[in-house]
Amino acid sequence: MSTTLPWTSHRMLMRQAIIQADVENTSPLRIGSGREAPLGSQVDLAVLRIHRNGRDEPYIPGSSLKGVFRSVGEAMARAEKKLEVCSGLTRSTCMDTKQVEETRLRELVERRLRLNEVEAAVKLFHQHACLMCKVFGAPSYGAHVYFGDAT
Ligand SMILES: [Zn+2]
């Protein structure tokens, strides 16, 4: 295996930017836990909470924030840059929808990865995936951005 893998393989960190921000709700926001509220609760639908600093606090998962950023990025890419980008939704990413010589991109990439041909897999992905998949990730391809939880 080569020691000079391209940075897109995620095996080499060449640049890092850490952005911290304060989030302020200007309108009501509810992120449900997907579970029933505990008995005696004043609400029907439980709010997602995390145990932090000795108490349960509501929070916004990093995955939810990432979804918002991806969605806004898609709209900007389409409107301002006239780029063709996928929705990123399950089974609708470039890995699922792009065909290369009548084979799904996902199958071609996974085939390369099974053969440990990482550079070839990354090259295939970068030739055929949209900008949003390259930045925010897709099946079998990690994201280049990470969003932490907002507490
Ligand atoms: Zn895509």
Side-chain angles (χ1 to χ4, degrees):
M1 181 179 291
S2 170
T3 57
T4 57
L5 290 170
W7 67 272
T8 50
S9 70
H10 304 292
R11 293 181 184 203
M12 186 184 307
L13 179 63
M14 296 180 74
R15 286 169 283 208
Q16 182 176 25
I18 298 173
I19 300 170
Q20 289 185 302
D22 292 322
V23 177
E24 179 183 350
N25 288 345
T26 57
S27 61
L29 173 70
R30 178 190 169 277
I31 298 179
S33 68
R35 296 183 301 249
E36 282 187 31
L39 283 176
S41 173
Q42 296 178 344
V43 295
D44 292 337
L45 300 169
V47 171
L48 189 60
R49 294 179 182 275
I50 189 170
H51 193 76
R52 182 172 169 261
N53 299 328
R55 63 190 187 127
D56 290 334
E57 299 177 343
Y59 76 104
I60 304 172
S63 58
S64 294
L65 295 170
K66 184 178 171 183
V68 168
F69 275 77
R70 180 172 179 138
S71 181
V72 170
E74 288 168 25
M76 290 173 64
R78 287 185 185 121
E80 296 176 25
K81 302 292 182 192
K82 310 293 184 218
L83 295 176
E84 186 180 311
V85 294
C86 72
S87 70
L89 297 174
T90 303
R91 287 187 281 282
S92 296
T93 68
C94 290
M95 293 292 256
D96 305 296
T97 60
K98 294 279 170 104
Q99 298 278 324
V100 182
E101 297 171 7
E102 300 184 23
T103 304
R104 279 187 324 150
L105 179 58
R106 181 197 292 238
E107 291 171 37
L108 291 173
V109 167
E110 289 177 350
R111 193 179 300 160
R112 295 281 184 225
L113 291 174
R114 278 194 300 276
L115 296 170
N116 206 25
E117 296 174 0
V118 177
E119 288 182 68
V122 170
K123 187 176 179 184
L124 256 175
F125 180 80
H126 271 255
Q127 284 175 332
H128 301 285
C130 74
L131 177 63
M132 294 299 112
C133 283
K134 292 173 188 168
V135 173
F136 291 94
S140 299
Y141 189 82
H144 283 282
V145 292
Y146 169 80
F147 287 82
D149 297 336
T151 54

